[in-house]
Amino acid sequence: MNLRGKRVLVMGLGLQGSGMAAARYAAQQGALVRVTDMKSPEILAPSVRALTSLPIEFVLGEHRNEDFLWAEIVIRNPGIPLTSPYLRLAHEHGAHIEMEIALFFLTCPGRIIGITGTRGKTTTSTLMHSILQNSGAHTVLGGNVAGIETLSLLPQITSDTLVVLQLSSWQLEGLAPHRISPAVAVMTNIYPDHLNTYSGMADYAEAKANIFRYQRSTDIAVFNYDNPWTRRFGEEAPAKAWFTSVKRGGSFERGSIAVTPFTFTNTPLVGKHNLENILLATTTARLLGISDEIISQTVHNFHSIAHRLDEVAVLNGVRYINDTASTTPVAGQVAIEAFDGPIVLVAGGNTKHLPLGNWPATIVRRCRDLILLSGTGTDELVPALQQEAAQQGVANPLRGIFDNFKQALDSAVSYTQPGDVFLFSPGFTSFGMFLNEFDRGEQFVAYVCKPKQEQN
């Protein structure tokens, strides 16, 4: 897409890379670039500073109709819904609505390996990238990865590059108008999420399905057979499809009963869900021709990713686990199930209006002590915990609800004993008390790693 001389409006600058990458790329392509974001100039100051060398105009703290009437092309941030009245205004006046990831796909000369799912896509993507790196292949990692400007990767990509992209449902929406999908598609699972921005599970799942919808028959698609949604999608895929199944003990081609055993289980990662992630990544790596020796060595040396069941420290015999990326009840439940010892859990936050499922029952059954952060999600969880405790005939583990993060952590620490797991796995979004889930996780890590005298 030729942007030279075009009036390009970037809607949503953000702090994690996508908006910055779009603005930088458009300016470098010779476009007239304007950026608009509802966040204040103070919050967005780091992003603005990163772009100061480029001729970019910033309109921060508001959206103005005049900017959307001015634009010939609007590049929307993945978090902005297509139903935005500003996007509708721009579209009605002839503007093209694009996304950063679509611009990347249209320009990228390399072979793209796209990975999506409600849970596990970061671990699967990062492990996939590590396996390819260790094989000696020229590879890059991008997409919905904090701090990486995907469009800025283009200069280092050739036709021989294997491009691993972690893709969110919102990013995948940007591919549909162009009817493009990656040459290799991997789907980890589909669980309820983002139902505050989608009309329902079918709408959300269909956005995810764009990862394989426009593949060719010679492309590759890998699906988790143990999840009902991804199993169904695997039967619909136009590409050569493979299934992975921890329950069946391996992987198999669609239509075949022959299972290739799952042998790459020597891993420092905890939890059954991580075995599913490893099986998906290693099956895909095998299909790309990577040797079992390289795959096995990579899996053996691959440790947890920041903010995802990440062991931050062991203090006084207590393991401190940062799982701030847990923003759904399903994620909260899976985190608890990953550990065998006594658990002191810190959870809570704001709701995405998702079903609580078995999370309250799992908390009551497995957590000795529970501290909650206040929020609309916590308001939903508290009565469910009371009901569960009554049904199980046990004491409610809830010890307190806090609107101050440090006080919440101080209280939780007071309940710990040697041999415990201190699990920070909120199960809800971070908005209100924190900038985002990464800010939330960084504050937790800073608290754990501070000398004791600084915490008092």
Side-chain angles (χ1 to χ4, degrees):
M1 179 179 291
N2 185 9
L3 300 181
R4 182 166 297 279
K6 300 288 188 181
R7 298 187 302 275
V8 174
L9 179 67
V10 177
M11 185 183 187
L13 178 60
L15 296 166
Q16 299 298 326
S18 177
M20 286 190 292
R24 189 191 309 277
Y25 178 77
Q28 290 171 341
Q29 295 300 305
L32 305 173
V33 182
R34 191 177 292 178
V35 174
T36 178
D37 197 303
M38 292 294 289
K39 292 187 180 70
S40 70
E42 292 75 22
I43 290 176
L44 294 170
S47 299
V48 173
R49 283 196 299 270
L51 299 171
T52 51
S53 63
L54 296 167
I56 298 172
E57 180 183 351
F58 295 93
V59 179
L60 306 178
E62 62 176 334
H63 289 323
R64 306 182 306 191
N65 287 347
E66 63 190 79
D67 296 320
F68 292 86
L69 294 172
W70 167 85
E72 295 176 272
I73 299 171
V74 178
I75 303 176
R76 69 178 178 104
N77 188 286
I80 296 170
L82 275 170
T83 54
S84 163
Y86 293 104
L87 291 178
R88 187 163 56 247
L89 176 66
H91 180 70
E92 288 172 352
H93 286 80
H96 293 283
I97 312 300
E98 290 291 351
M99 297 185 71
E100 176 216 11
I101 204 67
L103 297 178
F104 181 86
F105 266 76
L106 293 169
T107 311
C108 177
R111 190 181 189 188
I112 297 177
I113 302 161
I115 299 170
T116 196
T118 305
R119 302 199 70 257
K121 54 185 177 291
T122 299
T123 299
T124 305
S125 300
T126 309
L127 175 57
M128 185 77 248
H129 179 246
S130 296
I131 293 171
L132 294 175
Q133 272 189 321
N134 292 340
S135 76
H138 184 235
T139 180
V140 296
L141 174 66
N144 189 34
V145 180
I148 294 181
E149 297 185 13
T150 305
L151 282 168
S152 298
L153 298 173
L154 285 170
Q156 57 185 291
I157 297 173
T158 70
S159 59
D160 295 324
T161 306
L162 294 174
V163 181
V164 181
L165 296 182
Q166 174 186 323
L167 297 168
S168 69
S169 57
W170 295 318
Q171 288 175 312
L172 288 165
E173 289 175 6
L175 302 185
H178 300 283
R179 299 182 66 82
I180 49 177
S181 293
V184 180
V186 182
M187 290 193 82
T188 62
N189 48 57
I190 302 289
Y191 292 111
D193 199 2
H194 305 304
L195 299 187
N196 53 336
T197 57
Y198 288 98
S199 63
M201 272 297 292
D203 189 32
Y204 168 60
E206 192 54 39
K208 291 284 193 186
N210 285 317
I211 199 167
F212 69 84
R213 285 286 184 222
Y214 308 108
Q215 286 186 295
R216 298 167 297 181
S217 60
T218 53
D219 289 337
I220 295 171
V222 184
F223 299 87
N224 178 3
Y225 189 82
D226 296 339
N227 180 268
W229 278 99
T230 50
R231 182 191 313 162
R232 193 194 89 188
F233 282 148
E235 297 296 344
E236 299 175 5
K240 295 179 181 178
W242 285 72
F243 289 108
T244 63
S245 173
V246 170
K247 291 179 180 178
R248 292 193 176 193
S251 57
F252 52 96
E253 192 171 3
R254 180 175 57 194
S256 172
I257 60 172
V259 176
T260 302
F262 178 30
T263 58
F264 308 111
T265 56
N266 185 8
T267 172
L269 300 184
V270 299
K272 173 182 172 291
H273 67 290
N274 272 322
L275 292 179
E276 293 181 349
N277 299 333
I278 293 167
L279 181 53
L280 283 160
T282 56
T283 297
T284 306
R286 275 178 160 172
L287 292 172
L288 294 173
I290 309 302
S291 72
D292 281 5
E293 181 181 3
I294 289 171
I295 295 172
S296 179
Q297 289 175 351
T298 306
V299 170
H300 177 67
N301 294 314
F302 186 82
H303 291 270
S304 58
I305 300 168
H307 306 308
R308 291 162 177 84
L309 289 180
D310 182 21
E311 185 172 296
V312 176
V314 179
L315 302 173
N316 300 317
V318 178
R319 297 171 64 192
Y320 286 81
I321 308 297
N322 173 25
D323 192 42
T324 186
S326 159
T327 62
T328 68
V330 168
Q333 177 184 336
V334 168
I336 295 168
E337 292 172 343
F339 299 97
D340 295 325
I343 295 172
V344 177
L345 175 66
V346 176
N350 285 328
T351 184
K352 289 194 277 187
H353 304 292
L354 304 176
L356 295 175
N358 293 324
W359 187 37
T362 305
I363 291 173
V364 171
R365 185 173 63 252
R366 290 283 294 109
C367 298
R368 190 187 65 226
D369 304 288
L370 170 66
I371 297 294
L372 291 176
L373 303 174
S374 61
T376 55
T378 298
D379 294 341
E380 297 174 356
L381 180 60
V382 168
L385 290 170
Q386 293 170 339
Q387 182 178 0
E388 250 333 303
Q391 288 180 350
Q392 294 185 28
V394 297
N396 190 335
L398 180 59
R399 306 294 178 236
I401 302 173
F402 295 83
D403 58 11
N404 179 285
F405 191 43
K406 183 180 182 300
Q407 290 175 3
L409 297 180
D410 286 343
S411 179
V413 169
S414 72
Y415 289 101
T416 60
Q417 304 169 20
D420 285 354
V421 171
F422 184 118
L423 177 59
F424 179 49
S425 184
F428 292 113
T429 66
S430 58
F431 300 112
M433 199 178 289
F434 309 93
L435 289 175
N436 50 46
E437 68 264 35
F438 304 110
D439 174 52
R440 180 171 67 183
E442 286 161 4
Q443 288 193 38
F444 174 73
V445 172
Y447 174 90
V448 173
C449 295
K450 272 185 180 179
K452 277 192 174 181
Q453 59 268 25
E454 292 185 38
Q455 293 184 17
N456 295 333

